[in-house]
Amino acid sequence: MNIPNNVKELILKRKEKFVNDKNLQLIGKPGYSSPDEHILPDALTSLVLHKNVLLKGPTGAGKTKLAESLSAEVGQPMHSINCSVDLDAEALLGFKTLVEKEGNTTIQFVEGPVIQAMKNGHLLYIDEINMAKPETLPILNGVLDYRRTITNPFTGEVIKAAEGFTVIAAINEGYVGTVPLNEALKNRFIVIDVPYIQGSILEGVLKSQSSLSDGDLIKSFVQLSEDLVTQVRNGQIPEEAASVRALIDTCDLAVFMPPMRAIQRGIIDKVEDEREKAAIRNIAETIFG
Ligand SMILES: Nc1ncnc2c1ncn2[C@@H]1O[C@H](COP(=O)(O)OP(=O)(O)O)[C@@H](O)[C@H]1O
Ligand SMILES: [Mg+2]
């Protein structure tokens, strides 16, 4: 990876800050394979400059994997929120609970991921941020801009983020069920496009992350992916048909069943439209038929 020296210094500085952190188990696992030489270094550069980083790309393109790898590269613990689940202020900030102590009942506030990340100067990963309910995101405005501050509505506490606090968010723009991210919000991020990996990089990921070991079969699946991506570009099939996640699942199945049936279960049957299904089946049959 080609990282400028001045960025390397900033990475080292950040690493040092967390060597004795009590939350080392929250550091992500590395393993993101970059489709080009700039994605990882540019995301890292933004991160060590304390810029919010927005990873933008289709489902199964490795956005979460990239976020975890960024956490690993800078050795910084990361708290995660997934916006596709029912997300309210409590899920973000925390909640009040009753605790028994020496016969007395007191109210205690259990800090949620946003508060924890801010107080500890950790990373905050907000997955599928454009799936969040519209009333949820404004809570984060002050967190994302230069103020880096939030007033906890449950306790009245004003929290100013500790140094190092940085937000990584992921969006899946264009995907069904998502709304385009509000411009004001998008404006607060550096955007890193995360496309599907292809060719030898995809081959490496299939070899290391699926249980398929037949090299020729893996090559055929890489070819399938390339043809699927071409048809995505032509508007013939939906983008998620080329998901790397779905392809890994398909390869796992293909260890135990004929490839066409694995493709049926892993890729084709996730698509609703009959014409799109037929298009994917045709592509697959020319390779595996
Ligand atoms: N570029 C990549 N490098 C390494 N693994 C990848 C890559 N793209 C996808 N994967 C793998 O595919 C699966 C889906 O990736 P994930 O990060 O969850 O995608 P996303 O968050 O974009 O939906 C994971 O198992 C991940 O390890
Ligand atoms: Mg994800």
Side-chain angles (χ1 to χ4, degrees), residues 31-35 57-66 125 127-128 170 172 194-197 201 205 209 243-246 248:
Y32 175 75
S33 300
S34 197
T59 185
K63 299 183 293 298
T64 300
K65 193 84 186 165
L66 174 52
Y125 179 53
D127 205 0
E128 308 199 31
N172 197 331
V194 184
Y196 289 132
I197 44 173
I201 296 164
V205 165
Q209 293 189 38
S243 160
V244 175
R245 182 189 295 114
I248 293 173

Side-chain angles (χ1 to χ4, degrees), residues 14 43-44 46-48 51-56 63-72 74 76-81 83 122-129 140 144 148 164-171 189-190 192 194:
R14 203 175 267 216
L44 263 176
S46 313
L47 197 75
V48 292
K51 309 277 184 203
N52 306 313
V53 180
L54 183 66
L55 308 176
K56 186 166 156 247
K63 299 183 293 298
T64 300
K65 193 84 186 165
L66 174 52
E68 292 203 352
S69 296
L70 289 171
S71 159
V74 295
Q76 185 172 3
M78 184 166 84
H79 302 258
S80 299
I81 301 167
C83 297
H122 288 163
L123 296 175
L124 176 66
Y125 179 53
I126 311 175
D127 205 0
E128 308 199 31
I129 188 168
L140 295 174
L144 289 167
R148 299 272 182 224
F165 171 74
T166 317
V167 176
I168 305 171
I171 82 169
F189 286 95
I190 301 290
I192 305 280
V194 184

Side-chain angles (χ1 to χ4, degrees), residues 252-269:
D252 283 337
L253 289 184
V255 177
F256 300 98
M257 62 179 79
M260 274 314 294
R261 211 163 82 227
I263 294 165
Q264 187 78 36
R265 308 265 186 243
I267 301 173
I268 297 174
D269 284 347

Side-chain angles (χ1 to χ4, degrees), residues 6-274:
N6 47 4
V7 175
K8 273 188 193 153
E9 275 169 34
L10 291 172
I11 293 174
L12 272 181
K13 238 174 93 185
R14 203 175 267 216
K15 257 196 185 141
E16 278 165 16
K17 196 169 144 48
F18 295 101
V19 278
N20 293 319
D21 197 282
K22 59 184 193 309
N23 288 301
L24 292 179
Q25 81 282 1
L26 292 178
I27 294 177
K29 289 195 184 61
Y32 175 75
S33 300
S34 197
D36 74 35
E37 64 202 307
H38 298 305
I39 290 182
L40 203 51
D42 289 359
L44 263 176
T45 303
S46 313
L47 197 75
V48 292
L49 295 176
H50 296 101
K51 309 277 184 203
N52 306 313
V53 180
L54 183 66
L55 308 176
K56 186 166 156 247
T59 185
K63 299 183 293 298
T64 300
K65 193 84 186 165
L66 174 52
E68 292 203 352
S69 296
L70 289 171
S71 159
E73 290 286 342
V74 295
Q76 185 172 3
M78 184 166 84
H79 302 258
S80 299
I81 301 167
N82 192 318
C83 297
S84 63
V85 294
D86 238 11
L87 195 72
D88 52 16
E90 293 192 334
L92 292 173
L93 305 175
F95 54 88
K96 279 183 173 162
T97 184
L98 295 175
V99 261
E100 290 280 344
K101 209 173 158 192
E102 292 156 8
N104 294 322
T105 308
T106 54
I107 299 176
Q108 226 175 50
F109 185 75
V110 180
E111 294 178 340
V114 174
I115 307 283
Q116 285 188 42
M118 289 179 79
K119 283 191 173 174
N120 294 308
H122 288 163
L123 296 175
L124 176 66
Y125 179 53
I126 311 175
D127 205 0
E128 308 199 31
I129 188 168
N130 53 332
M131 300 275 264
K133 286 190 235 147
E135 64 269 28
T136 305
L137 286 180
I139 299 174
L140 295 174
N141 276 342
V143 173
L144 289 167
D145 68 25
Y146 66 94
R147 290 170 287 175
R148 299 272 182 224
T149 302
I150 195 167
T151 304
N152 185 340
F154 303 111
T155 60
E157 186 186 9
V158 178
I159 297 139
K160 175 113 183 71
E163 211 213 307
F165 171 74
T166 317
V167 176
I168 305 171
I171 82 169
N172 197 331
E173 214 167 37
Y175 188 54
V176 191
T178 65
V179 276
L181 195 62
N182 162 313
E183 284 305 323
L185 195 63
K186 205 184 270 179
N187 208 263
R188 292 173 160 81
F189 286 95
I190 301 290
V191 178
I192 305 280
D193 248 302
V194 184
Y196 289 132
I197 44 173
Q198 294 280 281
S200 58
I201 296 164
L202 177 59
E203 193 178 333
V205 165
L206 293 182
K207 273 188 182 146
S208 63
Q209 293 189 38
S210 84
S211 34
L212 190 60
S213 54
D214 180 334
D216 289 336
L217 207 48
I218 286 180
K219 279 200 164 57
S220 299
F221 278 114
V222 170
Q223 182 62 51
L224 172 70
S225 176
E226 191 180 318
D227 294 351
L228 290 174
V229 165
T230 305
Q231 289 315 312
V232 169
R233 291 210 183 99
N234 292 340
Q236 298 297 312
I237 57 174
E239 196 162 42
E240 62 270 20
S243 160
V244 175
R245 182 189 295 114
L247 196 64
I248 293 173
D249 287 341
T250 305
C251 287
D252 283 337
L253 289 184
V255 177
F256 300 98
M257 62 179 79
M260 274 314 294
R261 211 163 82 227
I263 294 165
Q264 187 78 36
R265 308 265 186 243
I267 301 173
I268 297 174
D269 284 347
K270 289 180 191 165
V271 174
E272 298 298 327
D273 186 282
E274 285 305 325

